[in-house]
Amino acid sequence: MSSVARNFSYMVSDFILLGFPCRWEIQIFLFSIFFMTYILTLLGNMAIVCAVRWDQRLHTPMYILLANFSFLEICYVNSDVPNMLANFLSRTKAISFTRCLLQLYFFFSLGTTECLFLSIMAYDRFLAICRPLHYPTIMTSKFCNGLVIFCWVYGFLWFLIPVILITQLPFCGPNVIDDFLCDLGPLLTLASPCVPIPGTVLICGTMSSLLIFATFFYIISSYTLVLRAVIQVPSAAGRKKAFSTCSSHLAVVFLFYGSVMMTYVSPGSGQEEGMQKFTTLFYSVLTPFFNPMIYSLRNKEMKDALKKVLGGSP
């Protein structure tokens, strides 16, 4: 893009995040609700991380991946919720251009990392249930740690090119985003009146769709094979344990991917006004809140470890 076009990006020095426009009293009420949700999300996911760290029985690949996933959820909610809470109490509701793009990068990088972790967790369950004799030799500590590093590194590299492209777009005004965070779709919409951006929209949409559908279909394929194997397990207790583990994983997958697909398969396509912020709210705030409950309620080992962490009986 020419230097003239690049200079347009400095015409907008900040953005206005509308969030959830309503009366001041309702803003305070929403702040209280989301603040409690935020605190409970942090506590729930921190409890899982501590349980895996301190209970030797949970030093297995499945729980190591789960602990990393819970730590990821802590990072994920911190990429958007604190700013959303501050926005409820703000009169101006402004965010600087630089902070907006940084939030976009970290929010999407952590979301990409979550897709990868869900895929790796599906692979772990596939090996454990469908290839139990090979599982100890394949899923070693070294290999598991390598998968964790891959998820974090690749997650932060995948969305680097789209973010760089967005930094080059001319934002010549207006600067109002009808959302509670700097999301991909609204930013592309703001840039489109300034200069034609079909190439950027195509690249962002393609990379988002490729990541979402590739990981989703891999996860569904893995769990389809897993469920077929579970049905063939001879003992009822074995079937129940395997099904409980897989059903909790699948619940998280459908919660996350269901709302993500509604939002990012076609960014900047003019999704129904006001709808995007609620689908974004669901997977970025509510899903991390529900995950600790989903993973612990149907898992006896995790429940026992959490009781120890919280000071109860082992």
Side-chain angles (χ1 to χ4, degrees), residues 42-93:
L42 294 181
L43 292 176
N45 284 286
M46 285 169 55
I48 289 180
V49 173
C50 293
V52 175
R53 174 68 180 84
W54 292 336
D55 194 323
Q56 293 291 330
R57 295 172 299 175
L58 302 185
H59 288 187
T60 62
M62 184 181 82
Y63 291 110
I64 290 171
L65 293 173
L66 178 57
N68 275 274
F69 186 76
S70 294
F71 177 72
L72 169 64
E73 295 288 53
I74 294 171
C75 298
Y76 200 28
V77 295
N78 276 309
S79 70
D80 65 315
V81 175
N83 187 76
M84 179 181 71
L85 294 173
N87 205 34
F88 278 122
L89 305 179
S90 171
R91 297 292 185 180
T92 62
K93 302 187 182 300

Side-chain angles (χ1 to χ4, degrees), residues 12 15 17 95 97 100-105 108 163 166-167 169-171 174-179 181-194 197 200-201 267-268 276:
V12 170
F15 295 100
L17 294 174
I95 183 172
F97 185 85
C100 183
L101 293 180
L102 282 174
Q103 183 185 59
L104 176 74
Y105 174 66
F108 273 86
V163 170
I166 291 172
T167 63
L169 293 179
F171 292 95
N175 66 337
V176 178
I177 297 176
D178 187 14
D179 211 330
L181 55 77
C182 291
D183 212 343
L184 181 61
L187 284 173
L188 291 175
T189 301
L190 288 181
S192 59
C194 305
I197 55 169
T200 301
V201 172
Q276 176 164 321

Side-chain angles (χ1 to χ4, degrees), residues 19-20 22 24 26-28 30-32 34 83-91 93:
F20 302 93
C22 52
W24 177 249
I26 300 178
Q27 293 270 333
I28 298 299
L30 291 175
F31 171 85
S32 303
F34 286 118
N83 187 76
M84 179 181 71
L85 294 173
N87 205 34
F88 278 122
L89 305 179
S90 171
R91 297 292 185 180
K93 302 187 182 300

Side-chain angles (χ1 to χ4, degrees), residues 130-184:
C130 299
R131 303 288 187 271
L133 297 180
H134 301 287
Y135 182 77
T137 56
I138 297 175
M139 191 60 74
T140 61
S141 296
K142 182 178 179 181
F143 184 61
C144 181
N145 292 333
L147 291 176
V148 169
I149 293 171
F150 166 80
C151 289
W152 283 103
V153 173
Y154 201 78
F156 275 80
L157 290 177
W158 178 259
F159 216 77
L160 195 57
I161 292 175
V163 170
I164 291 173
L165 290 175
I166 291 172
T167 63
Q168 304 300 306
L169 293 179
F171 292 95
C172 55
N175 66 337
V176 178
I177 297 176
D178 187 14
D179 211 330
F180 61 91
L181 55 77
C182 291
D183 212 343
L184 181 61

